[in-house]
Amino acid sequence: MSARAFVLLAVLTCPLFAQQSAPASGETIEVSIINVDVVVTDRKGNRVYGLTRDDFAIRENGVPQTITNFAGYAPQAKHADGTVAVDRSSASPEPVAAPTAKRTIVLFIEIAPQPSERIREVFSSLRDFVRKAVRPGDSATVVVFEERMTTRQTFTGDTDELAAALTAIEGESIEVALRRGDEVRRGLASDIAMDASLASASKSVRQGLNVGEHERRSEELFELIELRTKAAALTSVMESMSGVEGKKIMVAALDRFGLRLGLPQGSGPISSDPQVEAVRQTVMRSANANGVTLYPIYVPGLQYTNAPDVLDAPGIGMDSSVAEGRAGENNAMLMNQTASLFQIAEETGGLMAAGPSDIVDLLPHIVDDLESYYSLAYRASGADGARKVRVTTKNGNYEVRSRRAVLEKSDDTQMNDRVVSNLFQLIENSVIPIEADLGQITRKAKNLWSVPVSVRIPIGALTTNMESEAATGSFSVFIGSGSDLGVISDVTQRSQSYSIGHDKLEAARESHFTYDVTVDVDTRASVISVGVRDDVSKEFGMVRIPLPPHEGKANPATP
């Protein structure tokens, strides 16, 4: 899923560049804050508003933490004149509108054969969700998985574009359903016929029939490979959101992501297969590390209950025992999938749904989650590392839903995340006004282009340490490349120290540093992302540079 080739060669120069102020003096800032958003409901599922900081407790790895930042948000109903309508019958204080900060929403859709009416119901709900959830300033994308991942709508806040992408995928899904329908019916009829034959065979004959064992194992191997590919796609999308501020959610409509491969055997609770569990844990860790709340949907639901034309097809000879076995398999499959998705939702602070009717009920709750929640934060060490986190309320009658783990990230890791996210949507809280240009692109190898990049960093925007003989400081340059979601290079980092004599500070107001970089870029890449961090103030600047069309050209032109 990723292109991993990068070489960095840098030269630092200092030509003239108009600036309004000299480098500011300051000291290195080492502060890391971990945010945890929580939803609180009563035992009937009603949202609880009006709680304060003192009503909550946070434990990290079992150790109580001091809540340093707190806010409670609720949707605000408005009168026709635009004033806020407050329910004075409630004892809760006046609601505070959800913050206007950008929310990032991903719709991850796995195309799989389903009955046409089910497909239409699901996509109708998704279009309605997009129109209600995406507000001005938000960013949403539509991603499709069918053996591999493709981006069908890049990040946008235009709900018409998002709805149009969903409509196109709906049509394709129906075509897939029609194309595979006969094959599915033939396979199901064959399975039922085999079940009927085995049911009527003697025990000794049944024990000797090992024909299906090899086929079953082959199918499970294929399912495991597909599961790993799907997980890689999910984590790739979440990594693309890692450096974005604000609420981040993913609605993942999946066909298969169960606790076990194939059809679970026996009765009772379903345990997770070790190979599958490793894949599932990767997805949950990625979600919590990147601050993404997952809302998984098992679209098939009960798969065969609406297929009497298959089950009752003439000539199959299905008796009651075969019908009961088929119903048992159906329920086992449902339990296998939903138990897995429920845990994924629970670990990341989301909710899950199974089947079209559940989806219709779930999506409005997701809209509520975007508007009604409490935001808590506490100080962390700033070192990389996963932490278990638990949020509770002092009122034991309340239910608290939040992610179960967080990942503390160092300054370098946070910049890596920003560079990756900047490949797909502009990072908006950039402070340092850096600029970058491309040089002449040349082919280095069959699948690699050599791309010169020149980065200009205004000295006046950097913070220095004022020492006796000079003003000193340093900055770090981070560069990555990619295309769509899933083709992402490693992020390369280089740091540069500098010293400016006090007698030259005035001249520095009209200067900038130039950092010349040559990077090896995968031929599939379409964007280069550059980030510069002031290592003293920790402020940063971001820029993204579209690569010109260069596939198949020996010496492509620059933009």
Side-chain angles (χ1 to χ4, degrees):
M1 295 301 297
S2 59
R4 301 288 185 185
F6 240 87
V7 175
L8 183 64
L9 304 173
V11 177
L12 183 67
T13 60
C14 187
L16 293 181
F17 185 81
Q19 287 296 313
Q20 299 301 316
S21 60
S25 62
E27 60 183 17
T28 301
I29 300 172
E30 296 289 351
V31 176
S32 180
I33 296 292
I34 290 182
N35 289 289
V36 182
D37 292 339
V38 302
V39 172
V40 182
T41 58
D42 61 23
R43 301 217 168 168
K44 294 182 179 179
N46 300 311
R47 305 259 168 166
V48 176
Y49 303 110
L51 300 181
T52 68
R53 182 194 315 247
D54 294 335
D55 292 308
F56 291 90
I58 297 181
R59 289 179 177 271
E60 183 188 82
N61 287 345
V63 178
Q65 302 294 317
T66 300
I67 300 174
T68 58
N69 303 75
F70 176 85
Y73 302 103
Q76 288 186 307
K78 293 186 177 180
H79 297 298
D81 62 359
T83 59
V84 175
V86 179
D87 182 5
R88 297 298 181 187
S89 64
S90 172
S92 299
E94 182 172 321
V96 177
T100 57
K102 174 181 177 180
R103 289 100 58 94
T104 304
I105 301 169
V106 172
L107 299 179
F108 185 102
I109 300 169
E110 181 178 3
I111 293 183
Q114 305 293 334
S116 297
E117 65 275 9
R118 180 171 295 175
I119 293 172
R120 292 189 179 95
E121 189 172 2
V122 168
F123 279 92
S124 176
S125 298
L126 288 173
R127 282 191 293 270
D128 186 56
F129 165 74
V130 162
R131 297 194 185 280
K132 291 179 179 178
V134 180
R135 66 186 183 189
D138 289 347
S139 186
T141 184
V142 181
V143 178
V144 166
F145 181 84
E146 187 181 16
E147 297 183 356
R148 64 185 182 89
M149 184 182 67
T150 57
T151 303
R152 301 304 299 273
Q153 174 57 57
T154 55
F155 281 105
T156 181
D158 190 322
T159 55
D160 289 337
E161 291 183 355
L162 293 165
L166 290 169
T167 298
I169 299 168
E170 176 185 4
E172 294 170 14
S173 299
I174 292 174
E175 288 181 7
V176 168
L178 293 174
R179 187 169 65 248
R180 299 185 186 175
D182 290 340
E183 179 182 344
V184 171
R185 282 191 290 272
R186 286 195 301 270
L188 182 58
S190 175
D191 289 346
I192 293 172
M194 177 64 74
D195 288 345
S197 298
L198 290 175
S200 62
S202 65
K203 182 178 180 180
S204 61
V205 171
R206 289 199 302 272
Q207 288 177 338
L209 287 175
N210 296 319
V211 179
E213 182 66 16
H214 176 72
E215 182 179 354
R216 181 185 67 80
R217 291 182 178 178
S218 297
E219 289 177 353
E220 289 184 357
L221 177 60
F222 176 79
E223 184 181 345
L224 179 61
I225 293 172
E226 184 179 49
L227 185 67
R228 287 172 173 165
T229 305
K230 196 183 309 180
L234 288 165
T235 55
S236 176
V237 176
M238 289 186 286
E239 287 173 1
S240 77
M241 297 188 283
S242 58
V244 179
E245 301 293 333
K247 288 188 72 68
K248 296 173 281 190
I249 71 168
M250 177 190 288
V251 180
L254 304 171
D255 179 48
R256 293 287 182 91
F257 215 91
L259 292 173
R260 301 195 68 83
L261 301 172
L263 196 64
Q265 303 297 315
S267 58
I270 301 172
S271 60
S272 181
D273 179 278
Q275 296 181 97
V276 174
E277 185 60 23
V279 177
R280 290 180 348 101
Q281 288 295 331
T282 297
V283 171
M284 290 186 284
R285 281 196 301 268
S286 178
N288 287 327
N290 296 305
V292 180
T293 301
L294 288 177
Y295 295 88
I297 297 172
Y298 179 52
V299 177
L302 286 170
Q303 297 181 59
Y304 304 130
T305 54
N306 296 324
D309 56 323
V310 176
L311 297 179
D312 299 332
I316 291 179
M318 181 179 66
D319 59 22
S320 59
S321 64
V322 174
E324 290 175 3
R326 184 59 54 181
E329 290 180 0
N330 198 7
N331 286 323
M333 178 64 74
L334 180 66
M335 292 299 297
N336 181 32
Q337 302 299 321
T338 56
S340 172
L341 298 185
F342 176 80
Q343 183 186 4
I344 290 173
E346 188 176 47
E347 287 293 318
T348 63
L351 297 166
M352 69 146 290
S357 60
D358 279 356
I359 295 170
V360 172
D361 292 336
L362 171 68
L363 295 177
H365 286 291
I366 304 177
V367 176
D368 288 342
D369 281 3
L370 289 169
E371 300 286 347
S372 306
Y373 61 96
Y374 295 91
S375 181
L376 291 70
Y378 63 94
R379 295 186 183 277
S381 64
D384 287 336
R387 307 283 191 272
K388 290 290 185 182
V389 64
R390 187 184 180 206
V391 181
T392 58
T393 57
K394 294 179 180 178
N395 188 330
N397 293 319
Y398 293 157
E399 301 287 340
V400 178
R401 176 159 49 85
S402 68
R403 66 182 67 259
R404 302 292 183 85
V406 296
L407 180 69
E408 296 183 28
K409 296 185 177 183
S410 66
D411 292 334
D412 288 349
T413 301
Q414 291 181 52
M415 276 302 298
N416 286 350
D417 291 347
R418 292 180 185 123
V419 169
V420 170
S421 297
N422 194 56
L423 289 168
F424 309 106
Q425 51 181 323
L426 288 173
I427 299 297
E428 297 179 342
N429 54 339
S430 176
V431 173
I432 301 175
I434 65 172
E435 297 179 345
D437 292 318
L438 300 183
Q440 188 73 18
I441 302 174
T442 58
R443 183 184 291 278
K444 182 174 183 178
K446 180 179 180 181
N447 297 317
L448 288 178
W449 294 106
S450 182
V451 182
V453 182
S454 183
V455 186
R456 291 180 297 280
I457 307 153
I459 300 175
L462 300 176
T463 300
T464 61
N465 294 312
M466 301 301 291
E467 299 181 1
S468 59
E469 296 183 357
T472 63
S474 70
F475 59 85
S476 297
V477 178
F478 299 76
I479 299 183
S481 65
S483 177
D484 295 325
L485 298 177
V487 179
I488 305 172
S489 75
D490 288 328
V491 175
T492 302
Q493 172 192 354
R494 292 292 186 274
S495 296
Q496 178 68 51
S497 299
Y498 61 88
S499 177
I500 303 174
H502 294 303
D503 59 337
K504 297 181 180 179
L505 281 178
E506 188 65 27
R509 278 187 279 184
E510 298 181 355
S511 299
H512 67 270
F513 293 124
T514 295
Y515 207 79
D516 292 324
V517 182
T518 297
V519 294
D520 287 351
V521 176
D522 188 282
T523 55
R524 296 171 294 172
S526 59
V527 178
I528 287 179
S529 175
V530 180
V532 174
R533 182 192 63 209
D534 183 343
D535 295 331
V536 178
S537 69
K538 307 304 181 185
E539 297 288 3
F540 63 89
M542 306 294 302
V543 66
R544 63 201 303 258
I545 318 167
L547 285 163
H550 51 259
E551 186 64 39
K553 296 181 181 179
N555 191 20
T558 56

